Every structure is written in structure tokens, then in C-alpha cells.
Amino acid sequence: MTDARLLTRALSDPASTLAFDSADWTALIAMARAEQLMGSLAHRLDGLDLPEPVARICAAARVSADHARRQALWEAEMARRVLVPLGVPVVLLKGTAFVAAGLSAGVGRSIGDLDILVPRAALDAVEKALIEQGGWEWVKDDEYDDAYYRDHMHELPPLIHQDRDRMIDVHHTILPLTAGRSPDAEALLADSEELDVSDGGGGLRILSPPDIVCHAAAHLFADGDLAGGLRNLWDIDRLLRDFGEHDGFWEVLGERAERHELVKPVGRALRLTERLYETPVDGEVVGKPRTNDNRYASRLLARDGWGRETRKFLRLTFYIRSHWLRMPPTMLARHLWTKWRK
Amino acid sequence: MRHEFRVTVGPVGFRVGSDWRRPLAEMAALYDGYPEAAIPDFTVRLEAQRPWRRFIRPSVMIGGDYMLPDAAPLSLDHGLLAAEMGMNLQMALGQRRFLLLHASAVERDGKALLMTGHSGAGKSTLSALLGERGWRFMGDEFALIYPETGLLHAFPRPVSLKNEAVELFDSVDANRLGPVMRDTPKGTIRHLRPPVDAIAKMADPAKPALLLFPRFGHDPAMRDMGQAEVFVRLTQASTNYVALGETGFAALTKLVQSVPTRAIDYPDSDAAIGAVERLWGELA
């Protein structure tokens, strides 16, 4: 049975594509697009002797990624202009942070929303400034959803910009409040680092390297149903290759994972990225292989050469799990009931 | 997928997969004479909404590399239309090599005439009629401008004839026509395969020489257009102008500054063809 191993291998070892025939290439491109990894793949394949159609598809994908990067940085700048005068730390997260900091994980990456982290105490001021001065507005006007976000989530209800049509997610921590694990948001902010910006647009921050990895692992394995998981795992591979050589990185990563109650997700992330992307990993936090790792790998790779989702039942179990992770059972029942009645 | 069809149109290769044989058999007949695509640029999928919907009230979901989340499914009778829409969607959302303009185009003496305007303005019908009258048909839906050269590349898909336009082509060779599809979201649709020379020369680009904004159903009239207006209307007619960034801006600016442009109103196709020939003689 074909699965996305073709894609993970091409990403970690681009030279493996030298033996590809037309059918392999066709499948690879469909998978990469479906997993939002075409831009990353195009950069990895750059410089290889590629068949002409593949070369032009990759060139186009790099154009797309350049555009995504430019747009993401512009959104960050727009938020910076509104928020920095408030005097609160503003930490960029995920894709925007990767491109702003020049990390390998940002190379060719597709970027959707702008994600930022601010102190919980500053949420009201941040929201007010974005709406009154920045031109953002609420996406949905639904009392239940709004209250749900404010009471139980790790972020404000999503805001969208009136003119630019781009979303901003304002986080005050990195997992839903109902998740059972409580990352130390104050420590995330305290250890964050000011972005080195030479053009004068200072004031934005990114998480410390171990915290970036903790967040990526939390996002992938402690929240959500693993949709887009191969891309998120590729982020982790690139981050670990960037940071892994730093002195003491792996020990600190273990300490931070413990502090944020993320030892399991971080260990799982390390084992799976080692398995799928051959990432060099180290330290105790890797943990022992668990039988469940196979299920995770199988779910992450559930994609065929037409770009279709496969392994429907396995996907469903992860979907159910994602709700379970976010909510205690009675709360889940109440939530589904309210949603169902609409 | 169960069934597969591959085709190259101009500089773009497509692979269409389907849960049903029929839409692809119709495609194969319609695209007779087009080249294959070994490594296609885009994948389109025609899928049953649920497994049993392959057989019971079959409904065709349009999927592919690039998708709209809320696209409504079509009936199997409109499966060919679904495939064409899927291909359009890939171009509109995924094309990054060319500046893509929603325009039709024909060529003569190595020079291209571009026609753009709102849907229903008649640009598609006009390009097809000109294609039967000594011009080389280059496409009725998308004009592809290559930013590095400013040249127009042909994208000569079968023409999508709508409603009244269908009977204008009753006299062409019947094997060039696809099935008549009634009650589609856009009324009655029938596809027309372009003339043989349009397919044979589809790899040859042409230099844009005249840009028209035709409008069907009005008294004959002609109007000069300022470059600013042309520029803004072309940004609206492009699906990837913004995504191409500076490259798109440079390509579009060059086009607007170098190509004479007119808006023309016309009451019927004969008047339009007359006006086109006259303007081409004066300006191109």
C-alpha cells in the first residue's frame, strides 16, 4: 500500500529522488501539495538534476513560498505597530516566528494565520488595540463560541483583518485550558528572546529554542487530530537540526518539557521525527519506543499518490481523541449537545 | 483512482482521476489530438461524496491539488463540466509560472489579440468565432503571460459554449463537439474542440498586440481607455496577480504600457468581428 513515506524520504534524503520514475514524481507532488509541504520540498530539491516538469513545478512552489513569507512578515509588522506601544511582550509563534528568525523550518513553509503569544493579563488591552487601532474584527458573532474561547481556550476567538483578510490568533498559553497539561506560560514569556531586527522594527520576540520545540510538539501531539501532521513534524525535524548542535540543548529541552508538562508529547515528537525524517535526536526526553508510536506514524503517513486521505478509520480515532484531549467527558457531552442543537 | 486521463494544454499538464468511467471517456473524445502529460503540473479528482454515491444518485465532488472547501457537487451528467471546473480551479488557485488573466486570445502573424471583460461579455464566443475565421485560437478562458518575456502562451482548452452561443457552432464537424449539458449552474453548456492548427501550435507563444474589452448586447460603440483603468481592470481579471508580487506587477505594467487597448460594444457577432478586424488593421 502506498503512503506518504515517499514524501518523508524525499524530504530527508533528496537524493533518493534520483531513482524516481514519472509515476513516483507524480505521486510525490500530489502528496506534498496535500500535506502543505510542496514549498519545503521544492527548496530541498533545489540544485538537483530534475526532470523539466518537476523543475518548473518546484520553481513555482518557491514563488508561492516567497509570497507566503512576505505576507507573514507583513502581518507581523502590522501587529507590531499596534501592539508594541502597549509595552507588553509580543512573541511570534509557529511559521511566522520561523521566517522572522531565519530558521530552516521557515524555508519554503506555507503560513496561514499570524499566531502570537502575549501575557494573559494583557489580553484585554491587546484585543482592544487590534480592533480599535489595527482594523481587525471578530470572525464569528456567536455568543456560545465566543464564551467557549474565552473560558476554555488558550487563545482569543480568531480575529480577521477587515482589508487584508488575514487572521490573527492571540494566545496566552500554548494548550487549551482544558487539556489537562498546563504549560508554564510565564516561563515561556520570561525566556523568550528579542528578535534581532536590523531595520529598526524592533519589539517582537520569539520563544527560546527549547520552548519552540516544546510548542511544536504540544501543537502536534497534545492538541488537534494530527491534520497537517507531516508538516508540523517536518518543522520539528528542521528545528532540532538547527538547535541540536547548541551546547546543552538536549538537557535544557528535557527540563523545559518537564516544566511545561510536555514530556510525553516531546518524547513522541523526537521518536517520530527520528523515524520518519532520520533526525539526529539525543537526551533522556526521547524516552523508550512505545507501541502506540506505530499508530501515530501510520496516521501521519495516511496519504496516497492522488493526494487523498487514506486509513479513514484510523483518522477517525485520532479525530475523536482530539476532542477527548481538549475536554473532560461531561464537558464534551455538553459541547456536542450545544453544537448539535444549532 | 479507478479511472485516469492525462492531457497537456499549452504549457500545463493535467491528470484527472475519477470514480466513474464516463466523464473521462467524454474527456478523451473531446481532447482527441492533445498530447499526454508524463509528469502533470496538476491533479484533479472527481470523487463520489460517499462510497454508495458512486451508484445511487451519483454526485461528483471536485477535488485536487487545490480545492475550494465549499464547492457544491455536480450530477454525473455534468461530470465533464466537473472535470473542466477542476482544471480551472487548479489554474486559478495554483498557477505561479505565468501571470494568469481571465481573458480569451487569438493570434495572427505571430501577434496576439487579447479579449477580457466581465463574464457574459462575449469574449469566449468571440475568440471561438475568430478561431473559425482565419485566426489561431489561443484560449477562451485564461491568457498566460510569461513574466520574463512578456509573451502570451496559448492555453487552448475546448471552448465552453453557453446557452445561445451553442447554436452558433451547429455547422462544425460533429466530432469536435462534446455532449450537450443542460441545467448546469451556468445554463446549457457544450464544449467545442478548437481547430486542428490551434492544438498543433499550442506550444508557440505570441506577442500581445491588441487588448479589447468587448461587451455584447449594446449599440456599436468604441472607447479609449486610460492605462490606469486598464491596469486596475486587469488586476481584477487576474487570479494570481497579488501572489506573484513584484513579478506580477512588472509583467502587468509592461503589458498595459505596450499594448493598445479599446472597449468595444457590439449588438451581434458579425458587428463584433467587423470591429475587431478594423481595429486590428489600425492598431496591431
Side-chain angles (χ1 to χ4, degrees):
Chain A
M1 182 176 184
T2 59
D3 66 13
R5 221 168 296 247
L6 195 70
L7 172 60
T8 57
R9 203 175 302 132
L11 282 165
S12 59
D13 176 19
S16 70
T17 62
L18 291 174
F20 273 20
D21 61 15
S22 299
D24 293 329
W25 281 115
T26 304
L28 177 69
I29 289 160
M31 283 175 187
R33 285 193 175 133
E35 295 288 346
Q36 303 286 318
L37 276 163
M38 191 61 219
S40 311
L41 178 67
H43 278 278
R44 291 290 287 163
L45 297 177
D46 200 12
L48 289 181
D49 187 17
L50 303 170
E52 198 276 326
V54 178
R56 69 187 193 213
I57 289 166
C58 286
R62 288 192 292 267
V63 169
S64 283
D66 282 350
H67 176 61
R69 178 177 181 279
R70 201 162 45 234
Q71 254 190 338
L73 291 175
W74 182 246
E75 283 304 305
E77 172 61 16
M78 292 293 96
R80 188 192 71 80
R81 290 183 192 177
V82 176
L83 298 180
V84 163
L86 300 180
V88 298
V90 177
V91 181
L92 298 177
L93 301 173
K94 302 184 198 168
T96 311
F98 304 158
V99 293
L103 297 172
S104 313
V107 177
R109 195 182 190 276
S110 64
I111 302 169
D113 308 343
L114 170 62
D115 295 280
I116 60 169
L117 175 75
V118 299
R120 195 168 189 186
L123 271 185
D124 288 344
V126 166
E127 185 177 17
K128 192 162 178 271
L130 288 173
I131 290 172
E132 290 178 6
Q133 284 145 52
W136 278 273
E137 57 192 18
W138 285 298
V139 176
K140 21 185 178 178
D141 210 8
D142 181 301
E143 263 180 56
Y144 175 79
D145 286 349
D146 192 75
Y148 186 88
Y149 265 97
R150 289 173 198 280
D151 294 345
H152 303 303
M153 289 298 281
H154 51 309
E155 59 196 6
L156 287 175
L159 294 161
I160 193 161
H161 196 272
Q162 292 165 3
D163 306 323
R164 296 192 305 276
D165 214 27
R166 302 271 296 184
M167 308 250 276
I168 183 169
D169 285 333
V170 181
H171 302 245
H172 57 82
T173 182
I174 55 172
L175 276 182
L177 303 177
T178 51
R181 304 171 191 278
S182 310
D184 185 342
E186 276 173 35
L188 291 169
L189 287 164
D191 271 26
S192 67
E193 299 168 3
E194 176 131 21
L195 269 171
D196 175 25
V197 185
S198 43
D199 60 8
L204 292 174
R205 311 178 71 81
I206 56 167
L207 297 174
S208 70
D211 282 350
I212 292 181
V213 175
C214 286
H215 179 216
H219 181 56
L220 179 53
F221 291 120
D223 189 18
D225 64 353
L226 269 74
L230 275 188
R231 204 275 309 270
N232 295 329
L233 193 67
W234 178 247
D235 285 346
I236 292 170
D237 167 86
R238 295 291 97 182
L239 292 168
L240 293 173
R241 286 176 196 262
D242 280 355
F243 302 146
E245 305 286 307
H246 297 188
D247 267 353
F249 169 78
W250 298 99
E251 290 92 290
V252 182
L253 177 62
E255 289 162 25
R256 295 302 275 191
E258 210 148 315
R259 173 154 201 173
H260 297 309
E261 301 181 8
L262 290 169
V263 172
K264 252 174 80 176
V266 169
R268 174 107 56 206
L270 266 46
R271 293 193 301 277
L272 281 161
T273 187
E274 181 185 28
R275 185 197 290 211
L276 297 185
Y277 293 125
E278 291 160 39
T279 322
V281 297
D282 198 3
E284 273 178 37
V285 69
V286 177
K288 288 204 179 66
R290 290 163 174 263
T291 40
N292 242 348
D293 289 352
N294 294 327
R295 279 185 65 243
Y296 280 82
S298 182
R299 165 63 186 86
L300 286 166
L301 294 168
R303 184 74 67 178
D304 74 6
W306 282 90
R308 288 180 299 183
E309 297 179 347
T310 55
R311 301 169 187 159
K312 295 274 192 232
F313 182 75
L314 184 61
R315 281 175 176 269
L316 180 68
T317 62
F318 276 93
Y319 179 74
I320 293 167
R321 170 185 172 272
S322 76
H323 274 76
W324 197 261
L325 283 174
R326 285 188 167 193
M327 302 180 193
T330 49
M331 188 176 159
L332 176 59
R334 201 164 30 177
H335 175 71
L336 292 177
W337 174 246
T338 311
K339 283 283 184 189
W340 178 74
R341 281 174 21 144
K342 283 185 187 192
Chain B
M1 300 197 61
R2 277 185 187 77
H3 307 283
E4 178 176 345
F5 178 70
R6 293 183 181 220
V7 67
T8 294
V9 183
V12 187
F14 294 93
R15 160 175 80 148
V16 185
S18 172
D19 280 341
W20 305 271
R21 182 185 307 279
R22 187 172 139 201
L24 300 192
E26 289 169 352
M27 280 193 92
L30 191 58
Y31 283 90
D32 185 34
Y34 284 73
E36 242 253 33
I39 303 176
D41 293 78
F42 297 113
T43 290
V44 173
R45 301 189 305 260
L46 306 180
E47 297 174 282
Q49 214 168 2
R50 298 269 180 274
W52 59 89
R53 293 295 288 270
R54 271 182 64 212
F55 310 104
I56 304 165
R57 289 188 298 120
S59 79
V60 185
M61 298 281 295
I62 303 170
D65 292 331
Y66 300 89
M67 294 193 269
L68 289 179
D70 43 9
L74 293 167
S75 81
L76 186 53
D77 287 341
H78 300 156
L80 175 63
L81 179 64
E84 296 287 308
M85 287 168 70
M87 290 161 76
N88 280 349
L89 206 57
Q90 306 314 308
M91 291 295 283
L93 301 178
Q95 180 57 252
R96 293 289 182 274
R97 282 163 62 210
F98 299 92
L99 176 69
L100 188 148
L101 298 175
H102 192 217
S104 66
V106 291
E107 175 260 2
R108 189 190 266 172
D109 305 326
K111 294 186 291 186
L113 160 65
L114 283 149
M115 292 173 283
T116 185
H118 300 293
S119 156
K123 59 185 184 314
S124 177
T125 312
L126 213 43
S127 66
L129 287 169
L130 292 168
E132 305 295 317
R133 285 169 169 74
W135 297 70
R136 180 191 26 138
F137 174 82
M138 293 184 80
D140 80 321
E141 181 82 24
F142 294 131
L144 309 176
I145 306 289
Y146 195 61
E148 280 164 45
T149 58
L151 293 179
L152 174 82
H153 286 248
F155 189 64
R157 289 254 306 282
V159 186
S160 155
L161 302 168
K162 296 181 192 83
N163 303 316
E164 314 88 75
V166 172
E167 57 199 53
L168 289 174
F169 294 85
D170 277 349
S171 57
V172 303
D173 184 354
N175 80 32
R176 288 177 56 198
L177 292 166
V180 179
M181 293 176 281
R182 296 181 203 285
D183 305 318
T184 76
K186 289 192 171 175
T188 299
I189 290 184
R190 187 170 205 189
H191 289 94
L192 167 72
R193 188 193 319 129
V196 174
D197 74 309
I199 299 167
K201 291 185 188 159
M202 71 184 192
D204 302 350
K207 191 173 159 32
L210 179 62
L211 171 62
L212 295 178
F213 285 79
R215 205 160 59 133
F216 169 71
H218 295 264
D219 288 337
M222 193 188 71
R223 175 170 76 83
D224 280 349
M225 294 173 75
Q227 290 187 354
E229 183 190 357
V230 176
F231 183 87
V232 170
R233 289 192 62 178
L234 289 180
T235 61
Q236 292 162 348
S238 173
T239 56
N240 65 0
Y241 165 73
V242 173
L244 290 178
E246 195 179 346
T247 311
F249 178 78
L252 196 59
T253 311
K254 189 175 155 198
L255 180 73
V256 170
Q257 288 176 343
S258 62
V259 177
T261 305
R262 295 287 185 277
I264 56 168
D265 290 355
Y266 63 98
D268 54 57
S269 356
D270 286 342
I273 290 167
V276 166
E277 293 285 359
R278 202 169 53 248
L279 281 171
W280 183 260
E282 288 168 18
L283 299 171

